[in-house]
Amino acid sequence: MNRAQKEIVVNKIKEKFSASKSVFFIDFKGLSVKKMSGMRRKFKENSSELKIVRNRLTKIALKNYYDDIIDTNVLRETTGLIFSYEDEVSPAKLLIDFKKDNKNLKIKGALIEGKFFNSEEVDAISNLPPRNLLKAQLFSYIIYPLNTFLQNLSSPLSIFGNQIKALLNKTKTEE
């Protein structure tokens, strides 16, 4: 690979880092080509992308953006990059599921929304529910007390209204 080709690769990696919501760093040493292909397919189905790039080129791409955040041990030995473009958490779940069946796969860390997480923290992140579900839960926690308050507020009014209606019906029947 000549210098011009390396510059193209570095620029593509920079674009992928800026376009992605999260990036996961894995060590894939010992995995067969068949397993890697299957893993690529699963990530592609979930709006993610698995790329294998030389560590030196990745370091150059990260130099001005994340070099003070990322642990230097992450870019040693064989490193795969998983770029997630939609959901920050779903690749972590896929990695943990894939790791259960493939003991050779190691998660080195992740870069999520500008913050670096080590492998233990990625394991914890994988247990989080998807963002949409968290938003729905938060919304329900906010709406429930308001809904209860409004029901309690309107309850005396509806009781009063029902009593007036009953009185009107009673006076109509007496006439």
Side-chain angles (χ1 to χ4, degrees):
M1 191 183 286
N2 63 28
R3 185 175 178 86
Q5 291 171 326
K6 289 179 184 177
E7 286 178 7
I8 291 170
V9 170
V10 167
N11 288 332
K12 283 183 181 178
I13 300 239
K14 284 181 183 179
E15 289 173 9
K16 289 183 185 301
F17 267 100
S18 63
S20 62
K21 291 188 174 186
S22 62
V23 181
F24 293 83
F25 301 87
I26 61 169
D27 183 354
F28 60 91
K29 190 183 343 178
L31 292 178
S32 67
V33 174
K34 183 178 180 182
K35 289 182 180 181
M36 286 293 289
S37 297
M39 194 162 73
R40 278 192 172 144
R41 212 172 303 112
K42 281 197 174 202
F43 283 117
K44 191 173 264 190
E45 290 170 3
N46 288 294
S47 300
S48 301
E49 180 180 21
L50 171 61
K51 285 288 186 189
I52 309 299
V53 183
R54 297 180 75 187
N55 288 336
R56 181 78 181 128
L57 298 178
T58 304
K59 284 179 186 177
I60 293 169
L62 294 173
K63 190 171 187 175
N64 295 328
Y65 301 105
Y66 303 109
D67 55 344
D68 57 334
I69 298 171
I70 294 180
D71 184 11
T72 54
N73 294 326
V74 169
L75 295 174
R76 292 202 177 151
E77 298 185 18
T78 55
T79 304
L81 304 173
I82 299 167
F83 298 96
S84 177
Y85 300 110
E86 288 184 9
D87 185 19
E88 297 89 346
V89 179
S90 65
K93 293 177 189 251
L94 288 173
L95 279 172
I96 297 301
D97 289 343
F98 196 77
K99 189 177 172 184
K100 288 176 187 173
D101 298 331
N102 303 286
K103 301 299 179 195
N104 292 333
L105 178 69
K106 293 180 183 82
I107 302 170
K108 294 181 173 185
L111 185 66
I112 302 173
E113 294 184 356
K115 187 174 187 277
F116 183 76
F117 296 92
N118 63 27
S119 61
E120 291 83 23
E121 292 169 327
V122 172
D123 286 343
I125 288 170
S126 71
N127 294 325
L128 291 174
R131 179 174 277 210
N132 292 340
L133 181 60
L134 286 173
K135 284 181 181 178
Q137 288 174 344
L138 178 65
F139 185 72
S140 68
Y141 292 143
I142 292 170
I143 292 298
Y144 180 74
L146 292 174
N147 193 21
T148 306
F149 174 72
L150 289 175
Q151 286 176 351
N152 291 338
L153 189 63
S154 67
S155 179
L157 293 175
S158 64
I159 292 171
F160 180 69
N162 288 338
Q163 289 176 346
I164 290 178
K165 191 176 184 180
L167 283 173
L168 288 174
N169 288 339
K170 185 178 181 183
T171 55
K172 285 182 183 179
T173 55
E174 289 177 0
E175 292 175 2

